[in-house]
Amino acid sequence: MSPTFHDEQLLSPAETLALIDALAARLHASPPPRSLPWEEWVVIGIRRGGARVAERLWERLCQRLGQKIPIGFLDITFYRDDLDTIGPNPVVGATDLQMEIDDRQVILVDDVLYTGRTIRAAMNALFDYGRPESVDLLVLVDRGGRQLPIQPHHVGLVIQPAEGEFIKLLDSGEKMHVVRRRLQE
Amino acid sequence: MENRSVLIQGGRVLDPAHGRDETADLLVVDGVIQAVGRLEAPAHCTVVQADGLVLAPGLVDMHVHLREPGHEYKEDIASGCRAAAAGGVTAMAAMPNTQPVTDDPSVVGYILERAKSTGLVRVFPIGAITKGLKGEMLTEMGLLLRAGCVAFSDDGRPVTDSGVMRRALEYARMFGALLIQHAEDLSLVGNGCMHEGVVASRLGLPGIPSAAESVLVDRDLRLVALTGSRYHVAHLSSGDAMRAVAQARAQQLPVSCEVTPHHFSLTDEAVLGYDTDAKMSPPLRSQADRAALLEGLAQGIITVIATDHAPHDEENKRVEFCCAANGVIGLETLLPVSLELVRDGVMSLSDCIAAMSCNPARLLGIPHGTLGVGQAADMVLFDPEETWTVDARQLRSKSKNTCFHGRRVKGRVKQTWVAGRSVYRDGHD
Amino acid sequence: MRSAGTLWTRKHLLGMEGLSREEIGALLDTAVSLREVNRRDIKKVPTLRGKTVINLFYENSTRTRTSFELAGKRMSADVVNMSVASSSVKKGETLLDTLANLQAMNPDVVVIRHPESGVLEFLARHLDAALVNAGDGRHEHPTQALLDLLTIQDQLPLLGQSRFAGLVVAICGDVLHSRVARSNAIGLQTLGAEVRFVGPATLMPSQAAEAFGATVYHRLEEGLAGAQVVMMLRLQNERMNSSYLPSVREYAEFWGLNRARLRQAAPNAIVMHPGPINRGVEIASDVADDPERSVILEQVANGLAVRMAALYLLCGAGVRR
């Protein structure tokens, strides 16, 4: 029996898109210090939720820049450290990095930042493809609860969920939105 | 001293040899059946209440491997006899593929001596047809018969050479002896290790076609027609061979055959999962073959049920399927599995018991398998209604290679007597 | 959410027999994801770090063993190879003893190839480690079938198919002795393809139609007619010195695949072979080397990915046991 759960909307589809657009605007307006020229930037989304956020962010960023910068996607399934506790995931998405990442400035994008393990795995994966000049982390929501020394550079929303609550980006079709999820017995 | 007078009271006395099937009392005095009818217990007589139970002649199993001499780690005469007694078997014919082979009167003497000193039930040696079971030189059949052999067989292997088989039949005929053939054309067997068919194809195991048996039976029947000798097919497994035997019997040839409980109750599907306890020679065959065997039993073409009790130690069974030894044990499951034939309407209880008592006794020429007055009191008392589950670990045989482990069966031996002496009592051994 | 618990719960990979369509799908999907790893500069992921895989081969097979070895290593598992000469294997007790000894080293997966059918079922009853069948006798060779399925799946659009259902696959040659044919037939049937067995009567399993749902052809031309996938089997040399076949010459003449015969098949039919190839016997060189038709090298590449997927799923499946 799979457990049932209750979702409460945290960000509506419109609010979610607006938040991503705001992040793009902020990134464009104040790029990180010592950053490379835009030509050297790469946006990389972590599958699955981060990929949707990255796509939207990249679209908006390219609009503002008036030029196309590369985008890629990373599947970190094979880099996770929890095979022994959650078992294998046979629904693995493909990593899609068409560009060189050596000496580039990477904007690593995820939807919800929690323990930091996903980011740890993503960085391991990333470095199997090359050696970027720098990696910035951008997340839509930071919900705290870190178990590793990882901090995002760019955050859309910081919240503190209650005990037993999870923050989820749902992306059914075009209607990407964020919910608080509470498991029910 | 044991009281040698026993009165078995109120059981269903079933004696196919004499056409008796009635509720009656049976009195044994000094190991001999004294009277059957409505009887009063004489003084100093043990009385056994048998209400609701069947009293039948002790079963005669004409195909058993007792492994002694030579392979006592698998079974010996003492342990084989204990298993027999628990299965209601009071007489058995021991196949000669021992080490040394029973191809010499001295081995016959050894077996009879061991049986007398350690055995609970009667053991009748079967002598080899050819020396060393090699299929080449005939054994001293005359001397072997005089020493106590009741039939001849190279069981485990066929007599493949047609010329040798012809001479063996001719020679045995002078003594009126029965030749028992393990009918398999070895060139058709090849490296096969189960019945050739859908299951073997799925499992990727080399198969043995049913024709391997019928080809040799067909040949032998021609030789029987030529020589007029008594011929018996051991462990018949295929429909074609059954029909060949039926035809020969219709032509009044002195031909008989036996079937094992595993061949009439199981098919090659028992091998699924590579269960080495379902590996035997000849192999478990198709559903169509099994149906033909049941038909043969129903029609009275197959007149004998025998176990081919073939004990093998775990080391020879707990291996890859292809490497596993052939054979299963059967003494302790013979009766209940055979009673399924009665339950399923294949044959009457009387015919079923006859196939395990007077019929084989007659073929072997031994004075057993009946409850006639004046006969040695070899008897089995069983509850035809009691159901139980076969548990290999509970069996008395030294080896545990049964293909019936876990089977729910009906019919349980309550007590067994040999010459009036109780050799097994349910829960008291 | 779909998770391993619902898609892959098996402890062992013993054969294609019994694998559901969903389980085959899970394995192929995982393999597809892992193919990407094999195309990188750094062809390694840390997934199975700390896991131990033992390759126990009772038959010589450099290809399959290397494929499993590389699969394990690319997933960061520790891989140990053990080859046991067939001649020293006489008794099953030796096999059980060998495995018991290996088990004492607590491996996560033992990959076994053995010349006798059913050995893995036997071992699985007596041992704890997860077992992968790398070929047992003439019974099964599931990773070969899975890599073949993956190769076919890649080609489906070119074959004008969206799914396996209705696909016509001709498996040709020594079907009797072929675990590749058995595993493929079972897997293809599970996915809904139409399977044909084509080969001489002496090299055909008994009651093949009933056992495998395959249509049996003895003439290659008939068996190939309209086939979209032509899977050639290797003819073992030892078959020649027995009563199965009179000669290589006769076999090549009647059952060898050449360009003319391939024209009987569907216009875009692909040609497969599990290797190693007997050139000029079961397949002509120009057909085997034709990049338009032959997918033999794709099979090899997919073999690696499929074996990585198998190790990955089996190493993690223990969690939910």
Side-chain angles (χ1 to χ4, degrees):
Chain A
M1 285 293 281
S2 53
T4 55
F5 49 77
H6 174 74
D7 284 348
E8 177 197 329
Q9 185 153 292
L10 189 66
L11 293 174
S12 69
E15 289 169 333
T16 304
L17 291 183
L19 191 58
I20 297 173
D21 294 352
L23 277 165
R26 229 186 295 161
L27 195 60
H28 179 243
S30 52
R34 289 187 294 115
S35 69
L36 299 174
W38 291 111
E39 295 79 45
E40 303 296 324
W41 282 44
V42 181
V43 175
I44 295 178
I46 302 173
R47 288 200 194 276
R48 293 166 36 219
R52 290 299 308 275
V53 178
E55 275 174 344
R56 174 78 183 192
L57 180 89
W58 170 78
E59 257 174 50
R60 290 301 148 115
L61 200 54
C62 290
Q63 269 175 19
R64 288 177 182 278
L65 293 172
Q67 68 180 84
K68 288 258 181 198
I69 59 173
I71 181 169
F73 303 99
L74 209 51
D75 187 286
I76 56 135
T77 305
F78 300 118
Y79 291 83
R80 296 183 69 111
D81 57 7
D82 52 6
L83 182 62
D84 283 331
T85 48
I86 67 155
N89 171 22
V91 190
V92 182
T95 288
D96 178 14
L97 293 179
Q98 303 289 333
M99 75 301 288
E100 288 287 320
I101 62 164
D102 284 345
D103 303 324
R104 297 278 196 139
Q105 171 140 353
V106 171
I107 302 293
L108 191 61
V109 180
D110 205 1
D111 50 356
V112 179
L113 179 60
Y114 181 20
T115 62
R117 289 176 192 272
T118 299
I119 306 304
R120 199 273 316 163
M123 297 224 284
N124 285 359
L126 199 57
F127 278 76
D128 281 352
Y129 289 89
R131 184 181 180 282
E133 172 71 23
S134 71
V135 180
D136 277 24
L137 177 62
L138 180 149
V139 298
L140 189 62
V141 180
D142 178 357
R143 54 136 303 162
R146 219 78 76 242
Q147 294 168 353
L148 296 175
I150 283 171
Q151 281 304 327
H153 299 88
H154 316 281
V155 185
L157 177 70
V158 178
I159 71 154
Q160 196 72 47
E163 183 80 17
E165 268 184 3
F166 295 88
I167 308 301
K168 299 282 294 179
L169 175 78
L170 300 181
D171 58 348
S172 49
E174 295 301 300
K175 301 276 188 213
M176 180 162 48
H177 64 287
V178 179
V179 297
R180 283 176 198 269
R181 173 164 293 181
R182 181 180 291 279
L183 294 181
Q184 290 175 335
E185 293 309 317
Chain B
M1 280 298 290
E2 194 184 348
N3 192 330
R4 297 299 297 255
S5 289
V6 186
L7 180 69
I8 296 134
Q9 236 171 14
R12 175 179 172 188
V13 177
L14 187 66
D15 183 13
H18 296 95
R20 185 195 293 276
D21 183 359
E22 60 182 345
T23 302
D25 311 324
L26 184 146
L27 179 65
V28 176
V29 176
D30 290 333
V32 173
I33 296 171
Q34 189 81 14
V36 184
R38 190 159 289 270
L39 306 170
E40 292 296 319
H44 311 298
C45 176
T46 309
V47 175
V48 176
Q49 288 300 335
D51 304 82
L53 305 180
V54 175
L55 183 66
L59 305 182
V60 177
D61 187 348
M62 70 179 287
H63 194 142
V64 170
H65 298 271
L66 289 177
R67 304 298 187 208
E68 183 177 357
H71 304 108
E72 289 84 354
Y73 58 96
K74 293 175 190 274
E75 191 84 283
D76 57 29
I77 289 171
S79 67
C81 285
R82 275 196 298 278
V89 174
T90 56
M92 46 188 175
M95 282 296 174
N97 58 342
T98 46
Q99 183 67 35
V101 172
T102 314
D103 59 1
D104 187 279
S106 63
V107 183
V108 179
Y110 173 82
I111 293 169
L112 289 173
E113 183 50 44
R114 292 289 292 167
K116 201 170 160 193
S117 61
T118 69
L120 290 170
V121 310
R122 301 177 199 274
V123 175
F124 296 95
I126 293 173
I129 297 173
T130 62
K131 285 180 182 157
L133 308 175
K134 289 199 173 82
E136 294 161 2
M137 293 162 66
L138 299 188
T139 54
E140 298 159 313
M141 290 187 190
L143 293 175
L144 287 166
L145 285 167
R146 194 175 287 170
C149 284
V150 292
F152 295 95
S153 179
D154 276 3
D155 186 61
R157 312 177 184 181
V159 177
T160 47
D161 186 294
S162 304
V164 171
M165 188 61 185
R166 177 212 173 153
R167 281 189 289 277
L169 286 162
E170 282 175 339
Y171 196 79
R173 184 173 184 232
M174 297 186 300
F175 299 100
L178 180 71
L179 286 200
I180 303 172
Q181 174 75 297
H182 175 119
E184 276 193 313
D185 182 320
L186 295 181
S187 65
L188 285 172
V189 171
N191 62 348
C193 54
M194 71 171 293
H195 173 64
E196 180 177 295
V198 170
V199 179
S201 290
R202 288 290 282 202
L203 293 178
L205 289 172
I208 303 168
S210 291
E213 180 173 83
S214 54
V215 161
L216 209 65
V217 169
D218 284 344
R219 180 206 71 175
D220 285 353
L221 293 175
R222 304 274 171 197
L223 296 176
V224 171
L226 179 70
T227 59
S229 312
R230 297 174 63 217
Y231 172 80
H232 179 83
V233 185
H235 42 52
L236 196 78
S237 67
S238 67
D240 284 341
M242 193 283 293
R243 287 182 280 274
V245 169
Q247 206 174 8
R249 286 170 69 90
Q251 294 163 3
Q252 311 301 320
L253 291 176
V255 171
S256 57
C257 62
E258 72 194 25
V259 65
T260 69
H262 45 273
H263 284 110
F264 72 64
S265 64
L266 300 173
T267 66
D268 55 350
E269 300 218 341
V271 180
L272 285 169
Y274 301 91
D275 183 357
T276 58
D277 283 334
K279 184 182 179 188
M280 66 279 291
S281 170
L284 296 173
R285 296 212 181 269
S286 68
Q287 188 55 48
D289 286 309
R290 179 177 168 245
L293 296 177
L294 294 176
E295 184 65 17
L297 282 164
Q299 301 290 325
I301 294 152
I302 302 169
T303 54
V304 173
I305 299 171
T307 60
D308 191 8
H309 179 81
H312 286 294
D313 54 309
E314 203 180 19
E315 267 56 50
N316 279 290
K317 279 293 192 181
R318 202 183 56 185
V319 295
E320 304 97 303
F321 193 85
C322 63
C323 306
N326 278 315
V328 291
I329 57 171
L331 284 166
E332 291 164 82
T333 48
L334 168 65
L335 180 66
V337 176
S338 297
L339 288 176
E340 293 175 4
L341 296 169
V342 181
R343 176 199 68 192
D344 297 342
V346 175
M347 58 204 305
S348 68
L349 180 61
S350 178
D351 288 346
C352 181
I353 295 295
M356 296 183 278
S357 57
C358 55
N359 293 353
R362 215 171 281 145
L363 284 174
L364 298 174
I366 57 174
H368 301 292
T370 83
L371 294 178
V373 171
Q375 296 284 336
D378 292 4
M379 307 177 295
V380 57
L381 184 66
F382 65 91
D383 183 343
E385 299 301 326
E386 184 176 337
T387 53
W388 56 291
T389 302
V390 178
D391 180 352
R393 290 158 302 186
Q394 301 288 320
L395 299 179
R396 284 152 191 83
S397 178
K398 270 191 192 178
S399 296
K400 308 300 176 196
N401 53 311
T402 173
C403 53
F404 294 118
H405 178 68
R407 191 182 183 92
R408 280 296 280 175
V409 292
K410 196 164 149 187
R412 183 151 205 159
V413 175
K414 307 309 284 185
Q415 195 161 2
T416 308
W417 293 267
V418 174
R421 187 164 76 99
S422 176
V423 292
Y424 172 80
R425 218 176 129 197
D426 188 19
H428 290 82
D429 65 324
Chain C
M1 192 166 81
R2 288 203 290 174
S3 73
T6 54
L7 283 176
W8 191 271
T9 53
R10 285 177 189 272
K11 177 179 178 184
H12 307 294
L13 180 59
L14 302 183
M16 297 304 289
E17 175 104 51
L19 286 191
S20 68
R21 180 187 295 260
E22 290 71 27
E23 285 171 312
I24 293 173
L27 232 146
L28 296 187
D29 288 351
T30 307
V32 166
S33 306
L34 282 161
R35 275 201 294 217
E36 185 271 332
V37 173
N38 294 321
R39 297 192 200 110
R40 302 184 198 165
D41 289 340
I42 298 177
K43 300 174 184 60
K44 199 178 185 92
V45 286
T47 323
L48 300 184
R49 207 175 47 181
K51 304 283 183 190
T52 305
V53 175
I54 296 181
N55 282 330
L56 183 63
F57 275 59
Y58 283 88
E59 271 182 352
N60 282 330
S61 167
T62 314
R63 290 160 170 256
T64 307
R65 205 210 59 218
T66 306
S67 183
F68 270 108
E69 182 178 356
L70 210 49
K73 287 181 170 168
R74 290 200 173 164
M75 302 289 282
S76 299
D78 295 314
V79 183
V80 182
N81 288 318
M82 293 191 57
S83 292
V84 190
S86 289
S87 58
S88 70
V89 187
K90 284 279 182 272
K91 283 270 179 182
E93 195 59 8
T94 316
L95 176 64
L96 207 51
D97 279 348
T98 306
L99 266 288
N101 273 291
L102 291 184
Q103 183 155 293
M105 301 175 209
N106 203 16
D108 297 281
V109 180
V110 182
V111 178
I112 299 171
R113 167 165 290 195
H114 197 281
E116 298 299 344
S117 304
V119 159
L120 280 99
E121 273 82 353
F122 164 64
L123 292 172
R125 281 200 290 272
H126 293 99
L127 296 167
D128 292 334
L131 304 180
V132 177
N133 188 351
D136 65 323
R138 47 169 98 165
H139 177 221
E140 283 241 37
H141 191 358
T143 57
Q144 176 71 42
L146 288 162
L147 74 87
D148 288 339
L149 293 177
L150 181 55
T151 308
I152 296 170
Q153 182 176 280
D154 290 341
Q155 303 291 331
L156 285 177
L158 290 174
L159 296 170
Q161 295 272 151
S162 59
R163 297 175 299 142
F164 278 88
L167 183 76
V168 181
V169 182
I171 302 177
C172 312
D174 180 2
V175 179
L176 175 64
H177 297 95
S178 177
R179 51 196 173 211
V180 176
R182 277 180 176 71
S183 287
N184 264 303
I186 295 167
L188 285 163
Q189 298 253 319
T190 303
L191 299 182
E194 178 193 327
V195 177
R196 299 176 181 175
F197 282 163
V198 190
T202 47
L203 294 176
M204 201 53 71
S206 164
Q207 296 178 268
E210 294 91 324
F212 299 100
T215 318
V216 175
Y217 297 84
H218 296 308
R219 290 174 56 87
L220 187 56
E221 291 79 0
E222 291 172 8
L224 290 181
Q228 293 159 287
V229 176
V230 181
M231 194 179 282
M232 302 307 296
L233 301 171
R234 177 177 163 79
L235 186 72
Q236 306 283 344
N237 289 328
E238 56 262 35
R239 306 293 167 238
M240 291 304 159
N241 304 319
S242 62
S243 56
Y244 291 108
L245 286 174
S247 72
V248 174
R249 182 171 70 175
E250 176 133 323
Y251 184 83
E253 183 62 29
F254 287 90
W255 292 283
L257 181 68
N258 55 32
R259 207 158 268 295
R261 289 214 170 99
L262 186 54
R263 276 195 280 274
Q264 305 290 318
N268 290 322
I270 54 167
V271 175
M272 307 178 73
H273 192 295
I277 300 173
N278 290 311
R279 288 172 182 272
V281 180
E282 67 260 7
I283 188 166
S285 275
D286 61 338
V287 175
D289 299 335
D290 180 353
E292 297 288 306
R293 293 314 203 52
S294 166
V295 293
I296 293 171
L297 295 178
E298 282 90 327
Q299 287 175 274
V300 178
N302 284 334
L304 186 56
V306 156
R307 285 164 186 133
M308 289 166 78
L311 293 178
Y312 168 63
L313 292 176
L314 291 179
C315 275
V319 177
R320 285 167 190 262
R321 281 206 282 279

